[in-house]
Every structure is written in C-alpha cells, then in structure tokens.
Amino acid sequence: MGNSQTTPGIVAGRLPADRIQENFDDLHPAYAPHEAAVAADRCYFCHDAPCMTACPTSIDIPLFIRQIATGTPEAAARTILNQNILGGMCARVCPTETLCEEVCVREVAEGKPVEIGRLQRYATDTLMDAGKHPFTRAAPTGKSVAVVGAGPAGLSCAHRLAMLGHDVVIYEARPKAGGLNEFGIAAYKAPNGFATAEVEWLLQIGGITIQEGQALGDQITLSGLKESHDAVFLSIGLSGVNALRAEGEDREGVEDAVSFIAELRQTSDLTTLPVGRNVVVIGGGMTAVDAAVQSKLLGAENVTIAYRRGQEAMGASRYEQDLAAQNGVRLMFNVQPVAVHGNGRAVEIELEYTTDTGSGLTGTGETFRLPADQVFKAIGQTLGDTPEGITLEGRKIAVNDTGRTSLDGVWAGGDCASGGDDLTVTAVAEGRDAAMDIHATLVG
Amino acid sequence: MADLTTEFLGIKSPNPFWLASAPPTDKEYNVRRAFEAGWGGVVWKTLGAEGPPVVNVNGPRYGAIYGADRRLLGLNNIELITDRPLQTNLDEITRVKKDYPDRAIIVSIMVPCEEEAWKDILPRVEATGADGIELNFGCPHGMAERGMGSAVGQVPEYITMVTEWCKKYYSKPVIVKLTPNITDIRKPAQAAFKGNADAVSLINTINSITSVDLDLLAPQPTIDGKGTHGGYCGPAVKPIALNMVAEIARDPETHGKPISAIGGITTWRDAAEFMVMGAGNVQVCTAAMTYGFKIVQEMISGLSQWMDEKGYASTSEFVGAGVPNVTDWQYLNLNYITKARIDQDACIKCGRCYAACEDTSHQAISMSADRVFEVQDDECVACNLCVDVCPVENCITMIELQPGEIDKRTQKVVQPEYANWTTHPNNPAAQAAE
Ligand SMILES: Cc1cc2nc3c(=O)[nH]c(=O)nc-3n(C[C@H](O)[C@H](O)[C@H](O)COP(=O)(O)OP(=O)(O)OC[C@H]3O[C@@H](n4cnc5c(N)ncnc54)[C@H](O)[C@@H]3O)c2cc1C
Ligand SMILES: Cc1cc2nc3c(=O)[nH]c(=O)nc-3n(C[C@H](O)[C@H](O)[C@H](O)COP(=O)(O)O)c2cc1C
Ligand code: SF4
C-alpha cells in the first residue's frame, strides 16, 4: 500500500496489519485463574461496602469476589448478573476509576484498589465461555411489552421482563442490536465481537424478539406501539449531535466522532479504514478520548484533543486522560474552535484561547492554528426526534425514579432519559428498574 | 440449584450451616440477624446455672495469627460462657424460635457436674421450644478450673454420666460437644454415645498461647501485664478438627453416628470436606466473627454449585461418602508409585523445588546453568514436597507409574497388585497374605 503515518490527507493503511492488530488488542487482558485468586484475596469483604454503593446496579461486589476466592466463579457470575445482566460488558467498559474502584477502601488507603472490573470480567467470562445462561423464565403472564432501542437500557429491560414471564418485542432502528456497545465503545475495550456475543447470550432467556430496521417515528409510532402492547419502554439513546458553531464546519474532513467510531467498530479489517495525518478532536468527554486514541492507534501522526475548559472540568476521567497521553495524544485545555480552514477540505483548524470569567466562558481573542486534515466533533450527543406527546426535562425525556414518563403506559431509561450519568452501567440499572415497575404495574 | 435442606437428628434446617455456640449466638439481636442473613440454625451461646452470671475480663479477650495481608488465620479467646442472666436468655430463645420455626435452635448448656443442677435447668430449656441441647464439655479456660467444660470433657466417665442425666430430664436431641484437648478423641465420643447421646459435635477450642508481647514479656492478649492460655479456633484448626471428625466417623464403635462438625470452617469447601468425612452438618464461629453473617451466602451458593456439578440432590447423599477412604497408614498401597514431573512451560524458574529437594529431601531435582529444573527419577521418592512449595499451581504434578514400568530408583518393575506394609518383607510382624 505504501502509506505511512506521514502520508498527507486522510488515508487507510498507515500502519502494517500486525501493528494495528496489536494496537486494538484487549486494553486489560483477562486474568489467568491464579491472577484472579491473588486479586480476589485482596478484598476485605467490607461491611456495607462502599464499592457496592458506588455501583449504579448495586452488584454485591464483596460477595462475588469471595465466590471467586472460594473457587466458584460461576456463582460469582450469578451474583453479578442478577443485578446487572450486562455485567460482562460493564466489566470491560465501566470507568471503574470513578465508580466502584474509586471508593474501594484499599484505593482510599493505599491508592491501589481491588481490581473489581477485571475480577468481574473473570467471573462473567467463566460462565459465558461455558455457554451457560443462568436464568429461566417465570410462567407466562400473557402480557406484551414493546422496547424501543436495543442498547444496554433496552436489553436490560427486555431481559428482566422476559424473566418475569412477559413477552418482549424490541424495535431497533439499526440493522444490528447492541446500541453503543456495538457501535460506540472503544474497540480495544471489548474486542473479538464481545458485544454481539453478549446479545446472543442474553437472548437465550427466550421470550424476546428483536425487529431490526424499525425506527420510532419512521416505521413505527408510539401510539401504534401503545395499541399493540401492554407497555412501552423507550431506550433510544442520543442520536443527535451538537453543532460546532465554527466557521468552515461543513468542510470535508470535519466529522462526527460517534459516526467515525461506529464505522470503526463495524470495520473488520482496520487497515482499510482511512484516518487523517493530523487529527484534531474537539471535546472533553469519553467520546473525545476514544476518537483520539483510536485515531492514533490507526496510525495518525499527530492527534490533539482540544477542550474548551480546564483539565479539572474534563468529562473524561483522569485515567482516560492518562490513557490518551500514553498513546501519544496531545491534550490542550482552554481552547475553542473558531474556524476550519482549507480549500473545500480541511487543512487547518483555528483555535482561540478561552477564559472563565466566572459568569461564563469567553474567548481571549488570541488564536492559533493547527494542521488538521480530519476534525472530529465530540461535543455531546442529543436526543433525536422527541417521541409524540412526551414531556422533556432539559433536553431529555422526563422520567421519575422508576422510569415513568409523562405518558401513561410509557417508561424510558438510559441516555435518552433524564437523571443519571450517560454510562452503560447506568443504562442497565435504569432498564432493570423500569422493568420491575412495568411488571408491578402489569400484574399488580 | 441443589436443595440444601438438611435433617440432623430429625431437626430440619434450610441448609447445613449453623452458627456455633459463641458470641455470634449470644443474644436475640444477633440470632435474628443471623437468620435474616440465611443461617440454617444456631447453637445458642452456652447457658450457665441460675444465679449471678459469670463475669468476663474487661480487657482484651482475643489473640490472633495473621497472614501477610492481615488475613486472620487463627484466633484465640479467653471468653467464658454467657454473662447474661439465665431467664433473659430463655425468654429470648422462646421468642426467636417462635418467629423462626423453620430454623434450628439448639441450646448450649454448662452447669456443674451434679444431677440436681441439670435437673433444674433442663425443664426450663425444654419450655423454650428449642430443638435440642448441646452439652458444652469443651471450654478450655475459666470454666474448666471450676470443674466444668473441658474438665468434664476430659473424663469419659463424667461424659457418660452427665449425658445420661440429660437424656433422663430432657426429651429432645442431646448433642455432646467435645474438647480437642485430649489424646484420643474417640474415647469421649464413645463415652457420649454410651450415655445415649444423639450426636457429638466437635471441636471446641484448642489450648493455646498465640503470641508473646516481647516488651511486656507476657502472653497476648495481655490483661494488666499478665496473660493466660486461651482457646484456639479459626482456619488454622481445621486440619485438626477434620482428623478428629474422621476418626470418630471411622471408629467401628461410633461409625455412622451423627456428628456436627466445628473447627475452622470458613468456606463452602471446608463445610463440604467435613460432611464428606462424616459430619451431618457444620457449625461456624470464627469465620462469622471475622467477616460477618453474610458469608453464609457464599457457603450456600458454593455448596449448591458443587452439589449440582456432582449430581447430588441432597446433602445426605454425600455425608460420610469419604469415610471408607480414610484408612490406617499400614493399609496404604505400597505398589502405588509416582514420580514428580515439572512442566517446563509453566515453570517460572524460581528454584524453590530445587532448594527444598536438594537441602531437605532426596536430591532428586537437577538444576542447569540456565536454570532448567528437572526431576531425576532414579532419586525421586515421590514425597510431594516440591509440589507443595512450588508457587505455580499444576506446574509440578505427580505422575503414576503403570504396572510393568521400571521404578528407576529401585530398579524394580511396578507390580499391578495392591500390597501394604502388613505383608511387606521388611515388616518384622508381616503376616503372609491371605
Ligand atoms: C463513543 C462512546 C464511548 C463510550 N464509552 C463508554 C465507556 O467506555 N463506558 C461507559 O460506561 N459508557 C460509555 N459510553 C456511554 C454508553 O455507551 C451509553 O451511556 C449507553 O450505551 C447508553 O445506553 P442506551 O441503551 O441508553 O443507548 P444506546 O446505547 O445509544 O442505544 C440506543 C439504541 O436505540 C436505537 N435507536 C435510536 N433511535 C431509535 C428510534 N427512533 N427507533 C428505534 N431505535 C432507535 C439505537 O440504534 C440504539 O441501538 C460511550 C458512549 C460513546 C458515544
Ligand atoms: C469468643 C469465643 C467464645 C466461645 N464461646 C463458646 C461457648 O460459650 N460455648 C461453646 O460451646 N463454644 C464456645 N466457643 C467455641 C466455638 O463454638 C467453636 O467450637 C470454636 O470456636 C471452633 O470453631 P471455629 O473455628 O469456627 O471458630 C467459643 C469460641 C470463641 C471464639
Ligand atoms: S469489637 Fe471493638 S468496639 Fe466492639 S466491643 Fe469489641 S473492642 Fe469494643
């Protein structure tokens, strides 16, 4: 092919196949049994454990670690999956450094937490590798629930409802289920088709049908679903993208980071995926880091994250920032884009320094330019079209604690709903809790 | 999931995990919380006779032995029996039993070695509705000096006598709790069954001094500069308890009699091992004191997973299943010959096996200049020490030689038939094989 890291423009094959393969390998390799035993031995089996409180799905972490320590990782997996049916994915993608592991008493005391995420993966992998699905369905209730969107929130809700004996139909706009597990999570966090395998494993419970290519507001309507089902759960995530509001935003080479990642996740041979020589990512969250790191791993020569506020305000955790830095990504703070320059296609980006006046962020007037043949927008996703008749809170669907929306018989959860962080684990918790409330409503 | 419901002496409990008589079962508050956490039964903290209760020391009661990460390996205590009034305990037992009819409540008792004392207390205990009693003949400190506890447990005749009184004045099952502070555990067990005990439970704690304060030059725990021996329990005592349980289970005089196993049970696996060695159920103290009541959840999930894997539908299917496999040394097969084998791919070249064998065993492991360690079959006596000291699981394994192969150490052909010491030519007392 002859391309290298310094080939100008946006081209594929900047790195040889074996390097790409290595780059996109598991970020945290799986534990061998002995490693798991040693890691589990560090857990103090704390009373009313802080880790358990920090987990949005409230997994009984001390118990599952003790189950690993006593040689029954399958029982550990059951403890995990009881609370969080996507415990396998969460073990890989949860920012544990800001959740369970952040409050581990050994992190607080020694700066070295029990590696809860990796232990969770060890347990769930053991069970899933054996092809076992540990749950069975209750007697049929004769009720039918529509779930819109097959991301973590929808899958979690559907599984719980199926377990409780209801029939579930998931309507998914895309041709493939999984939501951002399949199309968004960084490739090195869940390699080897784990997202797809996990969905197949989850569906073994039975009673769940997925209808792909069915978009709410397109092929299907909310009123239609309400008529044909006893309840509806909306878990449509955030499909809209914020605008950059910088001059030249429409130039070729300016792309949405989430779309780039989705394409990356669905490309089987990454040597065929084009990436810029000079990549600038605008934003400060997990998506920004993922787009930047993966660009670098594909062979981009220079990758910069440009974030408009200070480091402490960054949405990406310190761990994620370090990951970016380790991979050679440059992090710039207090800069905002003002223009993308070029002749039809992007060549440079012009950034302006910012300052926080106390009443808001303003540009200082001082600007500079960076070479940029590819600019990724990672400045937040928004709800797509608001489903008919639904009340919003801020820019999300308004829900109460158990996911009830303003419409009778309609629940919502995950990224599209108000409350909670936009995380896989939060989506799972909200899906599960809504399912319990739907169940109580339908059979109560 | 396997059904863990266990019947012991006709007493049903949802699982075989009981809390042993000790602080975890000291009062209503604890026992209710234990039941809520899932424990199948409790043996209430030992009751004493009517009158002013005993008093405990007001300084530390425990000493401990730790692993490197302060994992508690052994605990030692100088606590006495309950220090609360008898009637208070009896009232509480009555209330709790009424609220938890599906859980086992056994009342532990220790009163002076006089018939009147037992005659007095037993009807009052019976009136609580508890499922049975356990006679504490085991406590090694404080009470023994007063002629109770292990002072009774060490004299088989006393055991028989008191057990008989209990059978006379009490209608429900009587369990005799044995002290391990004795030379031959079979004797007190035989004595208990001679007095018509329904079961024995063991072990109580082992006489011990865990450590010495090298500044005060006094045993720990230290009370105002002095210490005393206490009772040892926790993971460290498990092997001792396991042997004692197996000894009673395979003694022709007591074989098949109900045993409740106690001593260092910390995980589901410990419990399964005791039950395979003949225990109908198990009792736990130190593990609950170390980690809280919640550990029973791991015991339940672990035991039921193991039962599912092995295809056992109920605990009675494996209780005692391993007893026939416990034998005396002289009946072990001397024609069973193994050699250590080092998996070179798994070996991390630490050399611990070499040091162990070269310095303290049979010089049967060679070491090359580039740290390759290999077993020399002509020297290996198959002692297993290298396996035990190797930090890598399954790196060194013992491979059985097949009949017809030559044992390079003895230059003899491995024989297919079983042959033990009783018939070995080197045994002066050898009898001809029949
Ligand atoms: C790039 C990126 C990286 C991330 N990395 C992490 C991470 O490492 N760890 C972490 O915890 N979280 C991460 N997140 C956040 C996490 O992925 C989300 O919080 C989570 O997926 C939300 O789940 P959900 O089910 O609400 O929505 P989604 O996963 O977005 O699923 C929504 C589903 O609904 C479908 N849908 C949308 N509209 C319609 C419609 N009208 N009709 C029918 N179907 C519809 C979509 O196709 C999709 O399948 C990341 C997010 C992004 C964007
Ligand atoms: C603090 C303490 C107090 C105890 N008190 C009693 C008692 O009152 N009666 C009794 O029969 N055993 C008593 N024991 C012994 C326990 O019931 C049990 O037999 C012993 O601790 C071994 O089990 P373990 O290794 O699970 O702790 C006590 C043990 C401890 C640690
Ligand atoms: S455990 Fe600690 S706080 Fe509780 S009684 Fe004992 S010494 Fe006091």
Side-chain angles (χ1 to χ4, degrees), chain A residues 41-120:
Chain A
D41 192 60
R42 294 190 68 237
C43 173
Y44 287 146
F45 201 70
C46 298
H47 177 70
D48 192 9
C51 53
M52 188 173 163
T53 311
C55 171
T57 54
S58 309
I59 292 172
D60 192 337
I61 293 162
L63 178 61
F64 96 67
I65 294 181
R66 188 174 167 88
Q67 287 168 319
I68 291 175
T70 54
T72 53
E74 300 84 355
R78 231 166 261 133
T79 301
I80 295 160
L81 298 164
N82 235 335
Q83 288 296 110
N84 178 336
I85 195 64
L86 297 182
M89 181 59 82
C90 287
R92 292 163 163 80
V93 308
C94 272
T96 52
E97 67 278 5
T98 59
L99 297 169
C100 51
E101 291 177 21
E102 180 179 42
V103 296
C104 171
V105 299
R106 302 199 74 161
E107 164 66 20
V108 177
E110 307 163 34
K112 229 178 145 236
V114 174
E115 292 191 318
I116 298 166
R118 287 181 80 185
L119 284 163
Q120 178 168 321

Side-chain angles (χ1 to χ4, degrees), chain B residues 295-306:
Chain B
I295 51 156
V296 74
Q297 291 182 34
E298 166 264 305
M299 295 182 178
I300 290 169
S301 69
L303 188 67
S304 74
Q305 178 175 328
W306 175 75

Side-chain angles (χ1 to χ4, degrees), chain B residues 15 35-36 71 157 198 278 307 329 377 383 399:
Chain B
N15 58 58
F35 285 160
E36 289 308 315
R71 185 165 291 278
E157 294 74 22
D198 296 280
M307 284 171 63
W329 188 93
D377 284 359
C383 73
I399 307 293

Side-chain angles (χ1 to χ4, degrees), chain B residues 112-375:
Chain B
C113 220
E114 298 149 9
E115 188 165 357
E116 271 316 295
W118 292 90
K119 195 178 163 188
D120 280 350
I121 195 170
L122 287 170
R124 295 176 69 183
V125 170
E126 181 122 26
T128 62
D131 302 290
I133 56 172
E134 186 180 81
L135 315 187
N136 180 351
F137 293 158
C139 189
H141 46 259
M143 305 311 292
E145 293 84 333
R146 308 174 199 194
M148 292 184 268
S150 61
V152 180
Q154 286 163 343
V155 185
E157 294 74 22
Y158 290 174
I159 294 178
T160 306
M161 179 178 74
V162 178
T163 309
E164 279 170 348
W165 293 337
C166 291
K167 289 304 288 183
K168 192 154 118 195
Y169 300 115
Y170 183 74
S171 72
K172 289 184 179 172
V174 175
I175 304 169
V176 174
K177 184 167 179 177
L178 305 179
T179 174
N181 300 313
I182 188 160
T183 323
D184 184 349
I185 196 67
R186 293 172 301 180
K187 300 292 183 238
Q190 290 162 4
F193 289 118
K194 194 170 157 209
N196 284 321
D198 296 280
V200 292
S201 58
L202 69 160
I203 59 175
N204 209 310
T205 54
I206 304 174
N207 280 338
S208 66
I209 290 177
T210 39
S211 54
V212 171
D213 185 317
L214 288 181
D215 296 320
L216 298 174
L217 307 182
Q220 290 173 314
T222 312
I223 318 277
D224 194 22
K226 300 269 188 279
T228 182
H229 70 86
Y232 203 38
C233 50
V237 309
K238 176 198 145 191
I240 297 164
L242 197 50
N243 172 57
M244 290 183 166
V245 165
E247 283 297 289
I248 295 170
R250 73 190 189 92
D251 177 6
E253 281 202 40
T254 50
H255 177 71
K257 297 280 192 194
I259 303 172
S260 183
I262 319 166
I265 294 162
T266 311
T267 69
W268 70 268
R269 175 179 281 275
D270 298 328
E273 290 177 13
F274 274 100
M275 292 172 79
V276 165
M277 282 296 125
N281 72 3
V282 297
Q283 298 182 28
V284 175
C285 167
T286 303
M289 292 181 67
T290 313
Y291 301 107
F293 288 145
K294 194 169 121 178
I295 51 156
V296 74
Q297 291 182 34
E298 166 264 305
M299 295 182 178
I300 290 169
S301 69
L303 188 67
S304 74
Q305 178 175 328
W306 175 75
M307 284 171 63
D308 287 344
E309 282 165 11
K310 298 287 175 191
Y312 295 122
S314 94
T315 55
S316 59
E317 289 177 24
F318 62 87
V319 166
V323 177
N325 297 330
V326 188
T327 185
D328 291 334
W329 188 93
Q330 68 262 30
Y331 300 120
L332 296 174
N333 185 5
L334 294 173
N335 280 343
Y336 175 79
I337 299 168
T338 63
K339 297 286 171 189
R341 207 41 92 245
I342 300 172
D343 176 348
Q344 296 300 335
D345 293 332
C347 176
I348 59 170
K349 306 196 184 304
C350 66
R352 278 171 65 166
C353 59
Y354 180 83
C357 194
E358 190 69 12
D359 290 0
T360 72
S361 292
H362 299 84
Q363 297 76 46
I365 294 178
S366 65
M367 175 179 176
S368 71
D370 56 347
R371 300 185 73 82
V372 174
F373 299 92
E374 280 171 316
V375 175

